[in-house]
Amino acid sequence: MSNDRALARIDLGAIRQNARRLAAAAGRAELMAVVKADGYGHGAVPVARAALRGGAASLGVVTAGELRQLREAGIEAPVLVMGPLELAEVAAIDGCDVVAWTPDFVERAGAVGRERGGVVRLHLKLDTGMGRLGARPEDIAGLVEVAAGTEGVEVVGVMTHFATADETEGPNAGFFREQLVRFRARFAEVKECFPSARAHAANSAAVLRDPGSSFDIVRCGIALYGGDPFGDDPDARGLRPALSLHSWLAAVKPLSSRDSAGYGRRYRAPRATRIGVIPIGYGDGYARSLSGANVLIGSREVPVVGAVSMDQITVDLGPEGEEQVGDPVVLIGRQGSARITIEDLARVGQTINYEVTCSLSTRVRREYVE
Ligand SMILES: *Cc1c(COP(=O)(O)O)cnc(C)c1O
């Protein structure tokens, strides 16, 4: 552990393997590895390289800064910048594809392309039910017309995004299919004018749920990292979690019955016990809502008790045991045959696995293993 309070170890072999798994699930569609938000907290550059080695054909990011980071690291693979961009950003970035959904943006991108003496490559985004970015059905014809009449742009893609691909039960179970049907109908409108535009819609959940949603490209994030998009055990779908989170036992001390630990005295020892203190807290991205989760010490599950503070958590080691200061602690990952997944933590924190890894702060060093 050297001097680290907490360390995230990223298994790049797992990333490669997950990329191969997703590329196979996608059939003849190409895999775009989504490495936005610093590769969901894993580190965009090493993850991008591993995904490309595992068979990804391109990379997806959201911001111009995220594109720049990849290019500065010498990564030359095709990149799609998916987020909304200011015109100044479009002018500043080159050698990538960008997403457009308004005629105004298409026209301004055309001006950038002409100025450059080339084209800005566009993917037209259709809103089929996400209700966020994308052209509404009644606006598609106008968007296509402007794109066709604007010099300096080339429409190379047509895309949409699913709102409920991860929901296979409950009131939204049918909406995925409805969006799929709408997309099929509406991208035809775009393809009529731009026959070579490649269609894409699927995120991780969609690829794993219905390979029929794969079209020409699939855009996968969470499953690439070995997270299960449905919040289940990733093992069941052959995904290998890439991130493990490690710390150590910084203090072990006895508490008498009714003694408290932590801010607000939220934990009162129900019996004489030993409290362990671990140097990780919400300042590291171990969320305050994770009070009640388990950590692994000596291959044993031990509960986090009391409030998670910024720099520390407290665990109830129980009245008896051999634990000592310096013992390794696993907060995410395996120790012996015991295991804690990001899906487990998401359940305790009432969130999704995506947020668990995205939250890890820069205070947690990332270490890469093959
Ligand atoms: C983040 C994102 C993805 C990846 O989604 P996962 O559920 O992580 O696979 C795909 N498409 C778009 C537009 C995104 O923003």
Side-chain angles (χ1 to χ4, degrees):
M1 286 296 298
S2 69
N3 297 321
D4 291 308
R5 295 160 30 85
L7 171 75
R9 192 167 292 137
I10 319 294
D11 178 353
L12 296 174
I15 301 278
R16 284 200 301 277
Q17 190 178 312
N18 294 328
R20 279 194 289 272
R21 157 94 178 83
L22 292 164
R28 54 161 209 87
E30 231 176 64
L31 172 63
M32 176 187 295
V34 178
V35 298
K36 62 188 176 187
D38 201 25
Y40 291 36
H42 295 63
V45 167
V47 157
R49 288 203 179 102
L52 291 166
R53 280 211 279 154
S58 64
L59 303 168
V61 298
V62 165
T63 72
E66 291 172 346
L67 167 75
R68 208 168 301 122
Q69 189 192 7
L70 297 173
R71 294 302 186 227
E72 278 168 6
I75 294 173
E76 289 172 356
V79 176
L80 174 63
V81 181
M82 300 187 290
L85 294 171
E86 298 278 345
L87 189 64
E89 292 177 306
V90 179
I93 62 178
D94 200 356
C96 67
D97 295 2
V98 299
V99 179
W101 52 89
T102 64
D104 180 55
F105 183 86
V106 170
E107 279 169 355
R108 294 193 294 161
V112 170
R114 292 193 299 276
E115 188 139 310
R116 229 179 241 166
V119 292
V120 172
R121 291 163 53 93
L122 298 179
H123 294 235
L124 300 186
K125 185 163 192 176
L126 313 184
D127 180 4
T128 56
M130 182 66 159
R132 211 172 54 175
L133 303 177
R136 305 280 303 164
E138 61 274 21
D139 298 328
I140 295 172
L143 178 66
V144 168
E145 194 185 322
V146 168
T150 302
E151 267 178 64
V153 297
E154 183 185 358
V155 174
V156 296
V158 52
M159 65 187 284
T160 195
H161 196 41
F162 293 115
T164 64
D166 57 326
E167 294 182 53
T168 53
E169 287 166 20
N172 289 327
F175 193 62
F176 167 71
R177 199 139 305 281
E178 197 169 320
Q179 274 196 276
L180 196 52
V181 168
R182 289 178 188 171
F183 183 56
R184 281 211 179 89
R186 291 173 196 165
F187 83 62
E189 230 179 297
V190 178
K191 288 268 226 179
E192 223 166 82
C193 206
F194 307 104
S196 63
R198 296 199 296 163
H200 49 107
N203 55 5
S204 299
V207 180
L208 296 171
R209 173 176 178 173
D210 178 6
S213 68
S214 294
F215 301 102
D216 300 315
I217 302 170
V218 298
R219 308 184 305 263
C220 294
I222 191 72
L224 181 69
Y225 305 99
D228 186 277
F230 306 93
D232 299 332
D233 184 337
D235 271 2
R237 291 190 175 83
L239 299 169
R240 216 171 105 192
L243 183 143
S244 55
L245 182 62
H246 307 263
S247 185
W248 54 286
L249 207 46
V252 179
K253 60 204 260 182
L255 238 55
S256 305
S257 177
R258 306 313 299 158
D259 279 353
S260 68
Y263 284 116
R265 307 192 70 195
R266 291 188 180 197
Y267 173 75
R268 304 279 181 111
R271 56 180 173 357
T273 189
R274 295 166 313 136
I275 282 289
V277 182
I278 302 166
I280 188 169
Y282 63 80
D284 305 279
Y286 194 84
R288 209 152 175 279
S289 56
L290 293 178
S291 180
N294 288 321
V295 305
L296 302 177
I297 305 176
S299 302
R300 187 166 74 88
E301 287 192 352
V302 176
V304 176
V305 294
V308 170
S309 52
M310 192 183 296
D311 310 314
Q312 271 118 52
I313 57 174
T314 41
V315 296
D316 186 350
L317 295 168
E320 276 156 43
E322 303 293 309
E323 294 86 358
Q324 290 179 359
V325 169
D327 280 2
V329 175
V330 168
L331 299 109
I332 297 170
R334 291 177 187 278
Q335 204 178 50
S337 59
R339 184 176 72 135
I340 292 169
T341 62
I342 53 175
E343 289 76 17
D344 292 332
L345 295 188
R347 219 166 292 124
V348 174
Q350 296 190 351
T351 178
I352 51 175
N353 47 2
Y354 297 67
E355 196 179 37
V356 174
T357 61
C358 279
S359 299
L360 292 177
S361 75
T362 52
R363 196 153 79 169
V364 177
R365 186 166 69 88
R366 272 62 166 176
E367 177 186 271
Y368 297 92
V369 295
E370 282 299 322

